[in-house]
Amino acid sequence: MDISVVESFETTGLASSEDVREALSSLLIDSVESGASVGFITPFFHADAMIYWGGVEADMNSGVRKLILACDGEEILGCVQLSMTDKRNGLHRGEVEKLMVRTSARGKGIAKKLMLKLEALALELDRTLIVLDTRKGDVASTLYINLGYSFAGEIPNFALSSDGEYEATVLFYKEL
């Protein structure tokens, strides 16, 4: 398995940007359908996933987002994004977004490897504070705590779950 930072969809080794969007859309749909708290609710459609990844690609091209992939050959097993503000008072921080691992590949340490690569990348980019949020009670909270993230608080009824119920989110941060 290879964990790599993707500078553009064309640099992934897959045949085309369209193939990358297809593979990432499949991962996103798998995550949403398995109940992951990644910002989408069911039913979630392929066309919506493709539009989302087009936006991510645009953000990558503008330099405000980095994408990290976990791949086994040409199969994308997981990903995470580092979002960066361009506001002058926030050039030291980054935000973790959309940590996802394909359901068939979970339990193999992929999420941890993705997060460690994200932290290394953040440091390369002079981002010394990492923030994130996740659904209260989500298994990801254990990962973040084990990686040294500090609990910053909880917001009730923050977002809809993938099945449309309001759920609390918890906030974490880590100084690198």
Side-chain angles (χ1 to χ4, degrees):
M1 178 184 50
D2 178 45
I3 307 286
S4 60
V5 177
V6 176
E7 293 301 324
S8 71
F9 281 9
E10 287 80 18
T11 63
T12 61
L14 296 176
S16 69
S17 288
E18 186 73 14
D19 290 337
V20 176
R21 279 192 295 280
E22 283 288 345
L24 288 168
S25 292
S26 172
L27 172 63
L28 180 56
I29 291 166
D30 176 67
S31 296
V32 173
E33 288 179 351
S34 70
S37 178
V38 291
F40 301 97
I41 58 173
T42 57
F44 184 63
F45 301 103
H46 178 263
D48 296 323
M50 292 291 282
I51 290 168
Y52 170 75
W53 289 111
V56 169
E57 184 176 22
D59 285 351
M60 290 169 59
N61 292 338
S62 72
V64 297
R65 183 176 309 275
K66 298 291 184 182
L67 177 64
I68 301 166
L69 297 179
C71 296
D72 184 10
E74 291 190 5
E75 182 181 13
I76 298 175
L77 300 178
C79 69
V80 67
Q81 298 169 50
L82 176 62
S83 177
M84 299 164 293
T85 184
D86 58 359
K87 295 175 184 159
R88 289 187 54 178
N89 72 343
L91 296 177
H92 66 291
R93 70 177 183 260
E95 182 175 354
V96 176
E97 294 185 5
K98 309 280 188 284
L99 175 62
M100 297 181 277
V101 175
R102 188 169 294 283
T103 53
S104 62
R106 291 184 184 161
K108 299 177 183 177
I110 295 171
K112 180 179 180 179
K113 290 177 184 174
L114 285 165
M115 287 299 295
L116 292 173
K117 185 73 169 184
L118 179 140
E119 290 176 7
L121 174 61
L123 282 172
E124 287 176 27
L125 299 170
D126 295 323
R127 305 293 168 146
T128 56
L129 176 66
I130 302 296
V131 297
L132 62 89
D133 70 271
T134 191
R135 174 179 49 207
K136 181 180 179 180
D138 200 85
V139 67
S141 293
T142 303
L143 169 69
Y144 301 134
I145 291 166
N146 289 339
L147 288 173
Y149 285 77
S150 297
F151 175 77
E154 176 182 326
I155 304 171
N157 298 318
F158 183 77
L160 292 174
S161 67
S162 61
D163 62 1
E165 299 293 321
Y166 283 108
E167 295 184 317
T169 195
V170 289
L171 307 169
F172 289 94
Y173 70 94
K174 184 176 184 178
E175 292 183 292
L176 302 176

